[in-house]
Each structure stands twice: as structure tokens, then as C-alpha cells.
Amino acid sequence: MPAAKNDLLSTGAIAKELGVSGTVVSKTIKALNLKPEIKKGVCSYYSKDAVKKIKAAIK
């Protein structure tokens, strides 16, 4: 079951939270082969667990 919508973040929101560019986040998501919790149109939304993985991979 997907997390509540307010717990999910878009790539741009993740980038803002981590203080990096959206390109860095997108490339990291692709490298980690992470799948979004929800896709709405062209926007993908990721859980807080995915954000933790992205943060760890960037550092």
C-alpha cells in the first residue's frame, strides 16, 4: 500500500531538501534503480525511505 500522499516527495522536493540539484537526484535515483511509490502524469513521488537511500548515495 502506498504511503500517504503528504509523505511522498517529488524529485524537485528531494533535491531542495538535500540541497543538491535535481539532476543529481535524478541520476542517483536511476543509479539505485528506485521505483516511485506513485506516478501522477510525468511526476514521480518517492517515500522517505527512498530519500534516505538517495541521501546516503550522494554523500
Side-chain angles (χ1 to χ4, degrees), residues 20-41:
V20 297
S21 72
T23 303
V24 170
V25 173
S26 294
K27 287 181 178 181
T28 305
I29 288 170
K30 189 171 183 174
L32 295 173
N33 199 26
L34 296 175
K35 302 296 180 205
E37 293 289 323
I38 296 175
K39 278 195 76 130
K40 191 170 186 179

Side-chain angles (χ1 to χ4, degrees), residues 9-26 29 51 54 58:
L9 298 171
S10 66
T11 304
I14 294 169
K16 187 175 180 181
E17 183 175 304
L18 299 180
V20 297
S21 72
T23 303
V24 170
V25 173
S26 294
I29 288 170
V51 174
I54 293 166
I58 289 173

